[in-house]
Amino acid sequence: MSEDTAQRTDAVVKEKRAPLPRSVKFTVAILFAAWIVDYIDRLVITIVLPLIGADLELNNTQLGLLASGFFFAYAFAQVPGGMLTDRFGGRPIAGIAMLTWSAFTALSGLVSSFGVLFTIRVLFGAAQAPFPSAAAKILAERTTPNQRMTAQGIVSASNGIGSLVGYLVIPPVVVLLGWRGTFIAMAGLGVLSFFLLFLLPKLRIEAPKPSAESAAARAEQWRQVRALVRNPTMMIFAAMFFGSNLITWGVVTWMPSYLQQVRGIDVGSSSLLLALPALCIAVGIYVGGRLTDKLGGASAKIVAPAMAVSLVAIILMATSESLTMFIIFECIAIFGCGLCNVPVVSVPLKALSTQLSGSAFSIVNFGGQLAGIVAPLAMGILLDSYGYTSAFLFLGVGAVLAIVMAIIAPQSVDAFAQRTKLVAQETQQ
């Protein structure tokens, strides 16, 4: 090891041990709050799905389509959203996303037919799609590489907390206002969260304004982005996230319906049973972020064992006759999924430059959200044909896929660079 390399390594170790500075903590807090609102707004439909079905006279396949409609647009707009973020910056793209998704949340409560509601849910998904990469960009611009995964782990835990808050808050609102009024009320949260973006700290390193960039520099960045999108190694990480999220979105979408239709628990009484798994995934995401920093993001050491446990829990959950055991196994499976959220994207985000962080995150997130298309619709079809046991067992396919991808993926920044020579060379700083 050279003297320069040794000095850089010592600096990295010291930085990893240092607490997050105040500006990073403040950035994390703002993004944490914005993500909670993001998840609450998308969670409304899963809780009111049985009510919508009864009101509009829809079967489970149609209800699955409503849930999948959001993810169809959300998934396929991930990469374009990441490219727009890298082009125009995180804060403006996040702001536009917040205002537009709030508008479509409100409109969801004003429709009276399946076709119109499906269209609005698709547009809602397209509106939310740029936000994940914009949030990742905002964080990347205000952190050093060795602060990034700890900070990202805390921010990502907002997904579970958002679900937890949503499951505690939304059912009482539904009882009070009905499913239509709930959509309109929750839209106001998105508008309020928009103003948080004006409180973000200054950039760690001021990025050059687009107007000051040369045409050659912009062309080079777009070339790097296109190379990144085409790189097969990035697809491994996307497939890994698809596998773990297949379980997450399958459970999140159909659990409220299961409790109401099979267990006879009305929407107003289901808050606690829905909130427990949400708390488990939040804890899992936070723990996964800490493990990622300690293990260098090695997915074979985190994702593979977590998904193996989730696979066993899914099988036991699907075949359990006891509601208590069902919830326990559900919590274990969801906790395993939470452990995977940070490590599935850790290696690419550490290996690539900040200028490509939005695009890199969006590629991996595309895989995760693609699961949101498949899980609700596939389970809806299985429910109409076979019932809940078969529908929940189907989710085990995701665990198997994630395990395989976790083992074959590059386990470190150096391994990623060796596997993706073109991308590594193009993104060196």
Side-chain angles (χ1 to χ4, degrees):
M1 180 183 294
S2 68
E3 184 177 347
D4 288 343
T5 302
Q7 291 174 348
R8 286 196 300 269
T9 302
D10 290 341
V12 167
V13 170
K14 290 178 182 178
E15 187 175 11
K16 289 176 74 173
R17 291 175 179 171
L20 295 177
R22 183 177 179 180
S23 62
V24 174
K25 291 179 180 178
F26 197 56
T27 301
V28 166
I30 290 173
L31 293 177
F32 194 94
W35 264 114
I36 285 179
V37 175
D38 176 293
Y39 262 74
I40 289 176
D41 281 358
R42 76 171 71 173
L43 194 65
V44 175
I45 197 166
T46 67
I47 295 175
V48 303
L49 210 55
L51 301 179
I52 293 174
D55 192 5
L56 302 183
E57 299 181 348
L58 306 178
N59 59 31
N60 288 320
T61 300
Q62 289 174 307
L63 293 176
L65 273 171
L66 284 180
S68 294
F70 161 82
F71 287 104
F72 181 83
Y74 189 74
F76 284 96
Q78 285 298 304
V79 174
M83 295 171 75
L84 286 172
T85 295
D86 285 334
R87 177 67 181 86
F88 296 105
R91 185 159 64 176
I93 296 299
I96 292 170
M98 287 175 166
L99 293 177
T100 51
W101 94 51
S102 299
F104 288 121
T105 299
L107 288 173
S108 296
L110 302 176
V111 301
S112 58
S113 70
F114 169 77
V116 176
L117 182 55
F118 178 79
T119 301
I120 289 175
R121 297 309 297 176
V122 170
L123 294 173
F124 173 71
Q128 276 204 342
F131 181 74
S133 56
K137 183 82 167 183
I138 288 170
L139 191 63
E141 290 172 334
R142 291 164 176 81
T143 56
T144 64
N146 295 295
Q147 298 166 345
R148 202 158 294 155
M149 287 303 103
T150 296
Q152 184 65 49
I154 299 172
V155 172
S156 295
S158 63
N159 298 355
I161 297 298
S163 297
L164 175 63
V165 173
Y167 284 132
L168 292 174
V169 171
I170 295 171
V173 176
V174 173
V175 173
L176 183 65
L177 301 178
W179 70 268
R180 296 181 183 277
T182 301
F183 274 117
I184 295 171
M186 294 302 109
L189 292 176
V191 176
L192 290 176
S193 66
F194 165 78
F195 293 100
L196 292 175
L197 298 178
F198 293 98
L199 303 177
L200 283 168
K202 293 181 179 180
L203 301 182
R204 182 176 62 87
I205 301 176
E206 286 291 339
K209 295 181 179 180
S211 58
E213 293 179 342
S214 67
R218 291 197 300 270
E220 173 62 17
Q221 183 176 359
W222 281 105
R223 186 176 70 83
Q224 293 175 14
V225 169
R226 289 194 299 271
L228 188 66
V229 170
R230 293 193 300 265
N231 193 277
T233 300
M234 291 300 298
M235 296 302 104
I236 294 175
F237 291 96
M240 195 191 315
F241 202 23
F242 174 92
S244 66
N245 256 17
L246 193 74
I247 299 172
T248 302
W249 291 122
V251 169
V252 166
T253 301
W254 287 107
M255 190 54 58
S257 298
Y258 171 81
L259 292 176
Q260 293 175 51
Q261 295 173 354
V262 177
R263 300 293 180 172
I265 301 172
D266 63 73
V267 64
S269 305
S270 62
S271 294
L272 183 59
L273 293 179
L274 294 172
L276 283 174
L279 178 60
C280 289
I281 198 170
V283 174
I285 292 171
Y286 177 76
V287 173
R290 304 291 294 190
L291 288 175
T292 299
D293 275 341
K294 290 183 179 180
L295 300 176
S299 56
K301 296 180 180 179
I302 306 173
V303 177
M307 285 290 95
V309 172
S310 291
L311 176 59
V312 175
I314 283 292
I315 295 171
L316 294 173
M317 180 189 85
T319 55
S320 177
E321 295 183 3
S322 164
L323 177 60
T324 300
M325 297 309 298
F326 182 95
I327 297 298
I328 290 173
F329 292 133
E330 177 200 6
C331 288
I332 293 172
I334 287 294
F335 176 78
C337 295
L339 286 175
C340 300
N341 271 36
V342 177
V344 296
V345 76
S346 171
V347 170
L349 284 187
K350 284 186 175 181
L352 297 168
S353 67
T354 301
Q355 283 72 22
L356 294 176
S357 58
S359 296
F361 186 89
S362 68
I363 292 168
V364 179
N365 199 37
F366 167 78
Q369 305 316 316
L370 191 61
I373 300 174
V374 176
L377 180 56
M379 289 183 70
I381 294 171
L382 288 170
L383 283 173
D384 282 333
S385 301
Y386 303 105
Y388 276 98
T389 298
S390 297
F392 284 127
L393 283 174
F394 162 75
L395 301 179
V397 174
V400 174
L401 176 64
I403 291 169
V404 173
M405 294 299 106
I407 293 171
I408 68 174
Q411 303 297 310
S412 66
V413 169
D414 289 341
F416 183 90
Q418 292 174 2
R419 183 86 65 88
T420 60
K421 291 183 172 61
L422 177 62
V423 173
Q425 290 170 356
E426 289 176 345
T427 59
Q428 291 280 335
Q429 283 191 319

